[in-house]
Amino acid sequence: MTLPASFPFTSLSSPLPAGVRLRLAALEDGPALHRVCYPERSQQQFSHNFQRVIQWQSAGRSCVLVAEKDGQPVGSGQLIRHAGYAEIANLAVAADCRSQGIGTALVHCLTAVARQWGISWLEIGVAAGNGRALALYQRLGFEEDRRLRTPIAGLMIILGKQL
């Protein structure tokens, strides 16, 4: 599946890193994304969740992007539409590809999609102990909105920004 011609790459505020391209995810991307970006999750859990967001993408409720470098998946992120707002979720970049602008490009592109959908409030969550991701989101204009405790991830910081 390729991105439609109207996809908002031109509105990205930072260019894609050299050799990186973003495209819509397809169901067959699941195994490679699990191996490269989400190895800490069980295959069964990841597969179930990935199938669900791909179905949502087909229904227009989500946008799941894959970042590829030299034809191999190196990152992924999801935009999920809710009533009145959207959420960036499951943003991940392969450990050996971090600090190259891939996460930034994914957030910029997903933000552009949210704008294209007419969304005015965008959220992103981060585990309280993930200072690196928290710093990235704050640098990209997200501000702390609330904190919550989850059974799986523990203390989460939910950040948001007006679009």
Side-chain angles (χ1 to χ4, degrees), residues 6 11 18 21 23 33 49-50 53 57 70 95-96 101 115 124 127 132:
S6 64
S11 66
R21 80 179 190 107
R23 64 172 176 80
L33 286 174
N49 290 338
F50 190 70
V53 295
Q57 180 168 267
D70 302 322
D96 61 340
R115 282 191 179 105
I124 192 165
R132 184 181 183 136

Side-chain angles (χ1 to χ4, degrees), residues 9-30:
F9 282 116
T10 55
S11 66
L12 295 177
S13 55
S14 64
L16 290 171
V20 174
R21 80 179 190 107
L22 301 181
R23 64 172 176 80
L24 288 175
L27 195 54
E28 55 269 14
D29 291 315

Side-chain angles (χ1 to χ4, degrees), residues 16 32 64 71-72:
L16 290 171
V64 185
Q72 299 298 314

Side-chain angles (χ1 to χ4, degrees), residues 69-90:
K69 187 172 185 179
D70 302 322
Q72 299 298 314
V74 294
S76 180
Q78 304 166 2
L79 181 68
I80 301 170
R81 190 189 311 225
H82 298 282
Y85 73 100
E87 164 195 13
I88 294 175
N90 296 311

Side-chain angles (χ1 to χ4, degrees), residues 8 18 36 78-79 89 94 101 108 115 120 123:
V36 172
Q78 304 166 2
L79 181 68
H108 279 299
R115 282 191 179 105
S120 60
E123 291 186 349

Side-chain angles (χ1 to χ4, degrees), residues 113-161:
V113 172
R115 282 191 179 105
Q116 190 176 41
W117 285 351
I119 300 295
S120 60
W121 181 254
L122 183 60
E123 291 186 349
I124 192 165
V126 61
N130 190 345
R132 184 181 183 136
L134 179 60
L136 169 65
Y137 304 153
Q138 290 172 328
R139 183 173 52 81
L140 296 176
F142 289 86
E143 296 179 354
E144 185 173 333
D145 184 59
R146 64 190 181 282
R147 291 175 179 235
L148 56 94
R149 189 165 299 280
T150 66
I152 295 173
L155 183 61
M156 297 288 297
I157 301 171
I158 308 300
L159 301 104
K161 74 176 181 177

